[in-house]
Amino acid sequence: MFTKNYYFLTLQFFILLFGTSTMLIAKNNPQKTSIEEPLLPGLKNESLEFQKKLNQTGQKKQNQYKPRTHHWQKDGSPRFTNRLITEISPYLLQHAHNPVNWYPWSDEAFEKAKKENKLILLSIGYSTCHWCHVMEKESFEDLEIARFLNENYVSVKVDREVRPDIDALYMQAVNVISGRGGWPMTVILTPDKQPFFAGTYFPARDGDRGTRKGFFSIIQDIHKAYKIKPMDILAKSQEILNIIKRRSQLEKGPIDLESKIEKHASDLLKKSFDSQHGGFGQSPKFPRPSQLFFLLRSYKENKNEAIKKILIKTLDKMAQGGIYDHLGGGFHRYATDRKWKAPHFEKMLYDNAQLALLYIEAYVLLEDHYYAQIAKETLSYLLKEMKSPHGGFYSASDADSITDKGHSEEGYFFTWTYKELKNLLHPKTFEQFTLRYNIDEKGNFEMGRNILFESERLDVSSFSRGQKDFEHVKKKLYQHRSERAWPLIDKKILVGWNGLMLSALAKAAFVFEDRVYQEEASELAQLISQKDEETQHLFQLYHDGKAYKKAYLSDYAYLIRGLIDLYETNFNLEWLSKAIDLQKDLDLGFWDKKDGGYFLSASWHEKLATQIKDDYDGAVPTGNSVAAQNLLRLYEYTTDESYKKKAINIFYAFSSVLKKNPSSLVEMLCALNYLNNSPFEIILIDKHFTTQNPFLHSLRFFYLPNKIVSKVTEGLDLKQQEKIIPLLENKVAIKGKPTAYICRNKICKKPTLDTKEFLRQLESM
């Protein structure tokens, strides 16, 4: 209610200020720039020499990226080059040849805004975002719009994946002002970086795509308003900033940690569940793995059939839908419809890493081999198409791709015409394929093309046979598809998202007993856990084999979780030790000593208007949700009470959200569930070193998320590990045979040499 009222008042404010200024401004706007002009349109103070240097930088970097622009010189080089050419972010490089005089987020940009008393246009997005591309083409490549921006604004571009702190801060402004967020994010700031106008995608001109006001009119109106009544805008910006600051200060309070919060959350999810098509709500539909991780735990405890139906329906429908790539494996970002049929076609590492892990957990709990197959196909896609030769996994692939006619089109790479499939497949196979994947002669998507999706899932008994029948067909179509122009891949290696991938690989290695996954996980952990030798801070990203920037909260939290998961796969003490070391850094730089919980950015990061604590487990979980789980797991291993106290302090810091809307912090509820269920402490002792252990094999198919596991060799590493894991003290391999100890709250059952007794003890406890 508050947001709606505030949005209405803000709208009224700008209507009063804007009046009918658009026509007056447009009437005096100069004609489009001559094709011979060497500088960015509208610039008077930029020297030709500086422009030449930027052009030279672009020429040197052209082996590192493909220039994107609609403006070319006769020699085939880009006509315009702006300051973004010096950046490493693929998203910023996409805009390096716009006629807009873009600045990266920098002191230079803000000093210019203050000196010239100009408003700041802040545009935030990411390289594989479809609507970011649309706004670039419509507005930022438009010479008339570029000229106006260059003359009257300081324009700043930010990659949300590289600067999550800036993104989080100004997304708050978007939500306050417009009531909803998304990308591309469009924010207009005062010279002091205070937001007063915000939205997402805007069509270029009045009437475009059915809108009353287009982007060009908006920036003209706001510029005019700022010239007429600057103090009104400054006052409004301060008011908005104050709201953001209040919102970022979460209401800390008492909370009954053993209350019915988890039940309240599952009830809320049940109410929003789409019983016909799976998932939650109507459309668009995003996979939110955190919701399903929480429901898996809830079903394990309560065996509630309603929750089981939610899990199966959602997991099945996502895997059957067009959101899943039935030829190449992996999931697209989200579906635009209720049925999961029509996706936006970008593929994100963070989605696929989490969904691979989700389907592995679902396979173990629900004993459904279909889910194992989806998990393996998703990991295969990531290893085949998204792994960097330098190590690590790329961030994302684009929604758009180049057609055979040379223009960009969303989803072209992944979709098919009826005729194309008919020409490629044997008539009988074609008939079966069209039925199974809903191929329509007129197309089931745009431009007469078809998205592959299944109406219903093959049952477990027929799945293997059906899969085998179509395996050669899918391989043939995948190879044919590979001959098309591939979507752009954002080749940033983000530590946080790779931390999610580390967890998926570690879990796959454990459950599937696959050494390839284990080796990949170890290689990945070695890369992304490196620190800067000078500062001893964790890196945030890698690009072309080089490390850059200081990590943020989610980078630390996701990586620490991945390292603990890897330890519980190969039991190499190095990984647990690194997790403990990184947790110290996290506590030192990010912990809020006053109210508890972790800030998104550290004391060594740039100071923004306010520090943010994200309170929503969305496409990715909040850093605090994951950190709470990590702290509780480290407590179980080390018995260091400070870890447990910090975790409980996180619950107190987010108590208001947990009480009012617990389904918005479902990953944090997984941590609360861990705390409240006295995790199992499983110790496996071997007399001699071996990679095999009969108890480990039993554990692979026993769904037990609330646990720690340690496997040690009596003579080789037991004493070393006892220093970190006190629970190992006095544990021996009885009669020289593999021995299992199952404990809870440091109280252990009688050790056993028998796997059946081991499972019986787990069940009984």
Side-chain angles (χ1 to χ4, degrees):
M1 179 65 73
F2 173 80
T3 300
K4 288 180 180 177
N5 289 342
Y6 189 83
Y7 178 52
F8 176 76
L9 292 172
T10 304
L11 202 61
Q12 293 284 72
F13 167 75
F14 282 112
I15 288 170
L16 287 171
L17 284 181
F18 294 167
T20 57
S21 64
T22 304
M23 285 185 63
L24 296 172
I25 297 286
K27 195 179 291 184
N28 295 322
N29 194 64
Q31 294 298 308
K32 290 185 179 180
T33 310
S34 162
I35 195 69
E36 286 79 24
E37 184 174 304
L39 295 176
L40 298 173
L43 291 190
K44 297 174 183 176
N45 299 325
E46 298 280 343
S47 72
L48 189 57
E49 286 303 312
F50 180 72
Q51 187 65 51
K52 285 179 179 178
K53 285 182 182 179
L54 291 178
N55 291 340
Q56 289 167 2
T57 302
Q59 289 167 4
K60 289 177 184 177
K61 291 183 76 167
Q62 283 191 22
N63 64 330
Q64 301 172 31
Y65 78 108
K66 186 176 180 180
R68 284 166 55 113
T69 183
H70 294 84
H71 308 287
W72 301 93
Q73 300 283 20
K74 290 179 181 178
D75 64 1
S77 63
R79 180 179 165 199
F80 302 115
T81 305
N82 58 56
R83 285 169 173 79
L84 300 185
I85 196 63
T86 62
E87 300 296 305
I88 61 163
S89 157
Y91 175 65
L92 298 188
L93 286 173
Q94 284 177 357
H95 291 265
H97 299 292
N98 294 161
V100 175
N101 185 28
W102 290 116
Y103 285 75
W105 181 276
S106 60
D107 290 340
E108 182 187 11
F110 303 120
E111 286 166 7
K112 178 181 173 69
K114 286 182 180 178
K115 182 180 177 181
E116 299 178 12
N117 192 26
K118 286 183 176 177
L119 295 173
I120 298 159
L121 171 73
L122 175 63
S123 178
I124 302 178
Y126 57 102
S127 69
T128 56
C129 161
H130 171 69
W131 287 104
C132 299
H133 300 333
V134 173
M135 192 163 179
E136 177 191 14
K137 180 181 177 181
E138 293 176 348
S139 294
F140 302 141
E141 284 282 281
D142 184 292
L143 293 176
E144 191 175 21
I145 292 175
R147 174 180 287 277
F148 187 83
L149 284 171
N150 295 346
E151 289 175 341
N152 300 291
Y153 286 81
V154 175
S155 301
V156 176
K157 262 284 173 195
V158 169
D159 184 334
R160 78 174 182 98
E161 297 165 359
V162 176
R163 290 299 303 264
D165 53 340
I166 297 170
D167 179 64
L169 173 61
Y170 290 106
M171 185 60 79
Q172 295 262 21
V174 176
N175 284 316
V176 167
I177 294 169
S178 70
R180 57 183 301 180
W183 298 275
M185 192 196 306
T186 306
V187 189
I188 297 181
L189 317 176
T190 67
D192 288 324
K193 307 181 204 174
Q194 295 186 177
F196 67 92
F197 179 86
T200 54
Y201 161 78
F202 292 101
R205 285 177 166 76
D206 299 353
D208 290 355
R209 300 183 186 272
T211 56
R212 187 174 67 84
K213 269 190 181 292
F215 178 69
F216 193 24
S217 291
I218 289 169
I219 59 175
Q220 291 177 87
D221 287 345
I222 291 175
H223 169 68
K224 184 73 171 179
Y226 186 62
K227 291 300 178 185
I228 295 171
K229 295 183 178 180
M231 298 311 296
D232 288 0
I233 283 179
L234 292 174
K236 185 60 62 176
S237 70
Q238 186 60 55
E239 185 181 341
I240 292 168
L241 186 61
N242 289 339
I243 293 171
I244 294 170
K245 286 181 177 180
R246 286 198 299 273
R247 282 190 171 189
S248 64
Q249 294 171 347
L250 297 172
E251 184 183 333
K252 181 180 178 179
I255 183 172
D256 181 358
L257 296 178
E258 296 185 8
S259 69
K260 297 180 179 179
I261 293 174
E262 292 176 57
K263 184 180 183 305
H264 184 197
S266 60
D267 288 344
L268 290 172
L269 291 174
K270 285 177 192 174
K271 285 179 183 177
S272 64
F273 174 60
D274 181 345
S275 59
Q276 188 175 358
H277 301 292
F280 304 92
Q282 299 299 308
S283 64
K285 274 190 177 162
F286 291 80
R288 274 184 63 196
S290 294
Q291 294 173 320
L292 300 174
F293 283 127
F294 168 69
L295 290 176
L296 284 171
R297 284 152 180 74
S298 182
Y299 176 66
K300 167 70 176 176
E301 282 184 29
N302 305 313
K303 292 294 186 284
N304 185 301
E305 286 301 311
I307 290 177
K308 185 178 182 181
K309 286 177 184 177
I310 292 174
L311 287 165
I312 292 173
K313 176 70 78 171
T314 303
L315 291 164
D316 285 0
K317 289 298 183 181
M318 287 196 304
Q320 290 166 223
I323 193 174
Y324 186 68
D325 182 353
H326 293 273
L327 300 183
F331 290 83
H332 298 293
R333 178 67 196 91
Y334 67 95
T336 60
D337 63 314
R338 274 184 70 193
K339 299 180 180 179
W340 304 99
K341 186 194 88 173
H344 265 318
F345 290 88
E346 62 262 44
K347 284 182 174 180
M348 314 300 292
L349 175 61
Y350 62 74
D351 283 323
N352 284 287
Q354 290 181 99
L355 288 166
L357 180 58
L358 174 68
Y359 277 88
I360 292 170
E361 288 202 6
Y363 159 61
V364 175
L365 177 61
L366 302 174
E367 300 178 352
D368 191 330
H369 287 271
Y370 178 66
Y371 300 146
Q373 184 69 25
I374 296 300
K376 288 178 180 179
E377 287 177 359
T378 300
L379 290 171
S380 175
Y381 147 69
L382 291 166
L383 288 164
K384 183 166 54 178
E385 297 183 17
M386 298 299 284
K387 188 181 176 187
S388 164
H390 299 293
F393 292 82
Y394 297 138
S395 299
S397 66
D398 209 326
D400 298 2
S401 50
I402 303 300
T403 71
D404 54 359
K405 295 180 181 178
H407 62 269
S408 180
E409 186 177 303
E410 187 188 9
Y412 180 84
F413 181 80
F414 297 100
T415 54
W416 303 81
T417 64
Y418 183 88
K419 183 178 179 181
E420 188 177 18
L421 290 169
K422 190 172 185 180
N423 290 338
L424 283 168
L425 302 178
H426 184 277
K428 186 176 180 181
T429 304
F430 171 71
E431 183 181 350
Q432 293 172 334
F433 192 86
T434 54
L435 287 173
R436 178 167 170 182
Y437 289 107
N438 289 280
I439 307 302
D440 190 278
E441 190 166 0
K442 294 180 181 178
N444 61 34
F445 186 54
E446 299 165 358
M447 310 294 289
R449 301 185 69 79
N450 285 277
I451 299 166
L452 304 186
F453 67 96
E454 297 174 324
S455 296
E456 58 183 27
R457 205 198 99 170
L458 295 174
D459 62 38
V460 176
S461 61
S462 65
F463 177 73
S464 297
R465 186 183 71 249
Q467 187 72 3
K468 186 177 179 181
D469 291 344
F470 277 101
E471 201 60 44
H472 69 287
V473 179
K474 291 168 71 175
K475 186 176 180 180
K476 180 178 181 178
L477 292 178
Y478 178 82
Q479 289 173 341
H480 182 81
R481 190 178 83 175
S482 298
E483 295 170 6
R484 298 170 180 169
W486 283 70
L488 173 144
I489 292 180
D490 186 321
K491 295 187 175 181
K492 294 193 308 294
I493 311 294
L494 291 166
V495 166
W497 297 3
N498 276 264
L500 296 172
M501 184 62 180
L502 178 57
S503 288
L505 287 169
K507 184 67 74 173
F510 182 78
V511 170
F512 302 133
E513 297 184 76
D514 191 315
R515 287 203 62 81
V516 172
Y517 290 139
Q518 187 173 140
E519 288 165 6
E520 291 284 354
S522 296
E523 178 188 309
L524 179 59
Q526 202 67 56
L527 171 72
I528 62 175
S529 61
Q530 294 179 51
K531 289 183 177 182
D532 186 317
E533 289 184 5
E534 185 178 339
T535 66
Q536 286 301 299
H537 296 316
L538 185 68
F539 290 113
Q540 184 213 5
L541 66 91
Y542 296 80
H543 191 268
D544 284 338
K546 296 178 182 178
Y548 297 89
K549 299 184 180 292
K550 298 166 187 172
Y552 292 90
L553 167 60
S554 59
D555 300 307
Y556 276 93
Y558 300 167
L559 174 55
I560 291 167
R561 180 167 69 179
L563 290 170
I564 300 172
D565 290 338
L566 182 55
Y567 172 76
E568 292 185 349
T569 297
N570 65 11
F571 306 103
N572 183 337
L573 191 62
E574 175 188 3
W575 308 126
L576 185 59
S577 298
K578 282 195 172 189
I580 291 169
D581 180 57
L582 288 169
Q583 186 63 50
K584 288 178 184 174
D585 294 346
L586 187 59
D587 293 341
L588 177 67
F590 294 80
W591 184 255
D592 180 356
K593 295 177 182 177
K594 180 175 178 284
D595 294 318
Y598 295 98
F599 291 118
L600 190 152
S601 55
S603 55
W604 48 75
H605 283 117
E606 177 187 356
K607 297 293 182 290
L608 299 177
T610 189
Q611 286 186 296
I612 299 292
K613 290 180 196 167
D614 194 3
D615 60 355
Y616 180 69
D617 291 323
V620 291
T622 70
N624 275 284
S625 293
V626 176
Q629 296 176 50
N630 295 341
L631 288 163
L632 292 170
R633 292 171 78 184
L634 291 176
Y635 162 69
E636 293 295 331
Y637 275 113
T638 66
T639 68
D640 184 339
E641 287 284 343
S642 68
Y643 290 132
K644 186 175 182 179
K645 287 177 182 176
K646 266 196 166 61
I648 291 172
N649 214 314
I650 290 173
F651 299 135
Y652 290 152
F654 289 83
S655 61
S656 60
V657 183
L658 288 171
K659 286 186 281 190
K660 291 174 186 174
N661 187 20
S663 63
S664 67
L665 278 173
V666 277
E667 192 92 25
M668 192 172 287
L669 293 182
C670 292
L672 187 59
N673 182 272
Y674 191 100
L675 174 70
N676 287 334
N677 281 277
S678 300
F680 286 77
E681 300 142 354
I682 301 171
I683 308 299
L684 309 176
I685 308 287
D686 291 314
K687 180 70 175 176
H688 304 288
F689 175 76
T690 174
T691 55
Q692 303 299 316
N693 184 287
F695 302 107
L696 272 184
H697 184 76
S698 299
L699 266 181
R700 296 181 204 282
F701 305 103
F702 195 95
Y703 183 76
L704 195 63
N706 299 334
K707 69 178 184 303
I708 60 165
V709 186
S710 187
K711 183 180 93 67
V712 293
T713 304
E714 198 174 81
L716 187 65
D717 57 3
L718 183 56
K719 290 296 181 185
Q720 184 185 6
Q721 294 211 31
E722 279 178 10
K723 295 175 184 177
I724 294 177
I725 311 171
L727 198 63
L728 295 175
E729 291 178 11
N730 303 318
K731 303 294 189 299
V732 295
I734 298 172
K735 299 179 182 179
K737 295 182 179 180
T739 305
Y741 295 79
I742 302 177
C743 316
R744 275 180 123 171
N745 297 316
K746 315 299 177 284
I747 300 171
C748 301
K749 286 276 189 180
K750 183 180 178 180
T752 181
L753 310 180
D754 181 65
T755 53
K756 290 182 180 177
E757 173 62 16
F758 174 70
L759 289 173
R760 192 195 67 75
Q761 287 186 13
L762 287 175
E763 289 285 1
S764 67
M765 292 172 72

